[in-house]
Amino acid sequence: MENSQVYVGLDIGTTLIKVLVCENVKGQLKVVGTGVQPSAGLNRGVIVDIDKTAQANSRAVAEAAAKSGIDIKKVVVALPANYLQMGHVHGMITIASQGQSREIVNQDVIDVAQSTLTQNLPPEREIIDLVPQEFTVDGFKGIKDPRGMVGVRLELAATLYTGPKTIVHNTKKAVEQAGLQIQDLVVSPIATGFNLLNDGEQDFGTLVVDMGGGQTTASIIHDHQLKFVYVDPEGGQLVTRDISTVLNTSMRNAERLKRDHGYADSRMADENVQLAVDVVGQNQPVEYSEKYLAEIIEARIRQIFQRISNRLKEVHAPNLPGGVILLGGVTALPGVVELAKEYFTTNVKTFVPEQMGVRHPGFALAIALGMYEDHLNDIDRLLKQTVQQGALIMSPHQAEQPRKLETTRSYYQESYQKPMPDASSEPQQAKEEPMTPEKPVKKPKSKGGIKRFLENFFD
């Protein structure tokens, strides 16, 4: 791990812990080792038992170390987007006194980043990341790297991401207790959106739907920025529970049925194919049709897609030019793309990593973590260093009048005619009862949706 070109992504999922060891070889990131172990101590994407999660992390890392032949000490860790808040921040410093200009250096970038972090945060929240938008030198805007330029005043416009201290603390503790150091903490939608989408998809706008075991995260990437996040508390684990409840079989059998014989779209299943299911209280297996199994799965996935669609309507988000990118373990089910097209009438596709050994949508986040760290430039690293150190240098005036962080709600109120519901608010509780099939709801086409969206939604 002394080689700076090696990065280890750690995806702490509700059902599985995934570790990918990635190495940059001549500009290309290659997977040289993987570790996958059953997860423990999580509930719908959030760590609730640090000890159990730490043990699972340790087993997965040990497997990846054995396969790669690398002694893993540092990891890049994904943070769930639950209760994530984002806001515009602005910082300004004077580089030289008495109007004497000089060249801008690394320390100036750190100082202006520190000035953006003087926020009046609630005690239960913690700064996670600071993503730069642009620097301004003496009024000249649109600068990505001001170092080496000459100026008197340096400004930084950035997006500040904050999350609950409980989630951040538990994640850090579960990693450190496994004997690992945290190289970086990355919010999941930032890792996937900034690295798995091409330049055009990030620029024009794309909806990324990560369907994991414990929850589903929908995020909008536009203008190379994370603009919107919605976390739905349902995922693949609840689909498995539906199968278990309806067929009266164990969770283990239900997971096997879903993985080996499941379809997200029941129209693709065969009514004539019979599956022998071990039923609790029965001496002999009971046969159910493949189509009946698919109908159970389809009902729950339809509900997830319907809620995401409804939430997008609330923020007046039409069909984005970049379409919809599906990733996560649930999207490996045949028919999930066809089902999604009924709720998002735009281009829909599943992201599958191209690297050998990880060609499964469930590895998308883990590979994105390695790509994220590999793609960081010097400015990104300086800002991350500032956030991680947490040593804020405030002038007396700044200390007396700290700026209040804009929440996700105020972030969008500038762009919408009516305010959207707070994206960080707690989502409705998942319904535990098994789902029954329902017909898809056809969405009416709004006139001028794209034009109105681009005019009103984004700055």
Side-chain angles (χ1 to χ4, degrees):
M1 291 299 295
E2 297 300 324
N3 186 347
S4 60
Q5 298 299 305
V6 176
Y7 309 99
V8 181
L10 173 59
D11 175 11
I12 307 175
T14 305
T15 56
L16 292 173
I17 305 290
K18 305 181 192 74
V19 179
L20 292 188
V21 183
C22 305
E23 183 178 7
N24 188 320
V25 180
K26 296 181 180 181
Q28 291 187 343
L29 204 65
K30 296 185 177 180
V31 177
V32 297
T34 62
V36 181
Q37 291 291 323
S39 185
L42 283 92
N43 182 27
R44 290 175 178 168
V46 178
I47 296 174
V48 294
D49 190 319
I50 295 175
D51 292 339
K52 289 183 178 179
T53 305
Q55 293 170 9
N57 288 341
S58 182
R59 291 192 295 268
V61 170
E63 181 183 349
K67 291 182 178 179
S68 65
I70 295 175
D71 183 18
I72 299 175
K73 295 180 180 178
K74 296 182 180 180
V75 290
V76 182
V77 185
L79 276 175
N82 301 61
Y83 308 102
L84 179 71
Q85 289 184 358
M86 60 190 80
H88 288 306
V89 292
H90 179 270
M92 189 272 289
I93 62 169
T94 300
I95 297 174
S97 60
Q98 300 178 353
Q100 296 296 320
S101 61
R102 64 169 175 80
E103 283 195 1
I104 299 171
V105 296
N106 285 349
Q107 188 58 48
D108 297 320
V109 174
I110 293 174
D111 291 342
V112 74
Q114 288 174 334
S115 71
T116 68
L117 298 179
T118 56
Q119 306 296 331
N120 188 17
L121 291 179
E124 71 275 7
R125 301 196 67 79
E126 182 172 334
I127 295 175
I128 298 174
D129 206 350
L130 182 68
V131 177
Q133 296 175 5
E134 66 173 1
F135 290 89
T136 302
V137 179
D138 293 346
F140 293 95
K141 299 182 178 181
I143 299 171
K144 297 302 181 183
D145 187 349
R147 295 174 301 170
M149 297 182 179
V150 174
V152 175
R153 187 178 71 255
L154 177 64
E155 300 174 62
L156 169 63
T159 303
L160 185 67
Y161 297 93
T162 70
K165 281 187 176 179
T166 299
I167 291 179
V168 177
H169 170 80
N170 289 359
T171 302
K172 289 181 177 179
K173 196 71 175 178
V175 174
E176 293 168 354
Q177 201 163 300
L180 303 165
Q181 299 176 18
I182 297 177
Q183 183 173 353
D184 202 352
L185 281 172
V186 188
V187 180
S188 298
I190 292 180
T192 54
F194 290 6
N195 295 279
L196 304 184
L197 307 184
N198 61 41
D199 189 70
E201 291 168 339
Q202 293 188 51
D203 190 17
F204 288 96
T206 302
L207 174 66
V208 180
V209 181
D210 184 354
M211 306 185 74
Q215 60 187 23
T216 300
T217 303
S219 57
I220 291 177
I221 304 294
H222 176 266
D223 195 22
H224 297 268
Q225 295 285 326
L226 175 62
K227 296 287 188 176
F228 171 80
V229 175
Y230 165 66
V231 178
D232 188 275
E234 294 186 358
Q237 198 173 51
L238 210 55
V239 174
T240 304
R241 186 174 299 174
D242 287 345
I243 298 171
S244 173
T245 302
V246 174
L247 302 187
N248 198 25
T249 189
S250 68
M251 287 288 288
R252 185 173 181 177
N253 287 336
E255 179 65 27
R256 179 184 57 80
L257 288 168
K258 181 183 73 174
R259 183 184 65 246
D260 297 341
H261 306 284
Y263 287 88
D265 189 343
S266 61
R267 292 167 296 190
M268 301 177 65
D270 192 338
E271 179 74 50
N272 297 320
V273 175
Q274 298 295 310
L275 306 173
V277 180
D278 293 329
V279 174
V280 176
Q282 299 288 336
N283 294 327
Q284 298 295 327
V286 177
E287 289 191 346
Y288 293 96
S289 70
E290 184 182 76
K291 188 175 182 63
Y292 185 60
L293 172 65
E295 288 173 347
I296 300 171
I297 297 171
E298 178 183 329
R300 181 63 69 177
I301 295 180
R302 279 192 181 279
Q303 176 170 293
I304 296 173
F305 284 152
Q306 184 64 66
R307 280 206 297 267
I308 295 174
S309 176
N310 292 342
R311 197 57 182 265
L312 293 177
K313 288 179 182 178
E314 291 175 5
V315 297
H316 309 286
N319 303 324
L320 297 167
V324 179
I325 308 296
L326 303 176
L327 52 94
V330 177
T331 61
L333 287 169
V336 71
V337 171
E338 288 74 15
L339 206 62
K341 288 180 178 179
E342 297 182 15
Y343 296 88
F344 314 105
T345 53
T346 182
N347 182 47
V348 181
K349 63 181 180 181
T350 301
F351 177 86
V352 180
E354 297 178 352
Q355 290 82 351
M356 290 291 293
V358 292
R359 292 178 179 173
H360 188 281
F363 285 104
L365 175 55
I367 190 68
L369 292 171
M371 296 170 66
Y372 176 87
E373 201 66 23
D374 185 52
H375 293 165
L376 288 179
N377 58 38
D378 290 343
I379 293 296
D380 295 327
R381 296 186 189 280
L382 285 173
L383 266 61
K384 282 185 169 293
Q385 173 186 333
T386 306
V387 172
Q388 291 169 1
Q389 287 178 346
L392 306 184
I393 302 175
M394 296 187 295
S395 67
H397 177 73
Q398 290 173 324
E400 293 172 1
Q401 298 180 350
R403 294 187 297 274
K404 184 178 180 181
L405 175 66
E406 301 174 61
T407 64
T408 309
R409 175 186 291 272
S410 61
Y411 184 74
Y412 286 94
Q413 282 179 341
E414 299 174 359
S415 305
Y416 280 105
Q417 295 179 354
K418 72 175 186 177
M420 71 159 245
D422 191 349
S424 64
S425 61
E426 184 175 1
Q428 66 185 64
Q429 292 297 318
K431 297 180 180 180
E432 298 295 342
E433 68 273 11
M435 298 298 300
T436 56
E438 60 181 29
K439 294 183 179 180
V441 179
K442 296 293 184 181
K443 300 193 300 180
K445 294 184 178 179
S446 60
K447 297 182 179 180
I450 288 288
K451 182 177 180 182
R452 180 163 60 88
F453 178 62
L454 295 178
E455 289 177 350
N456 297 333
F457 186 74
F458 301 114
D459 293 336

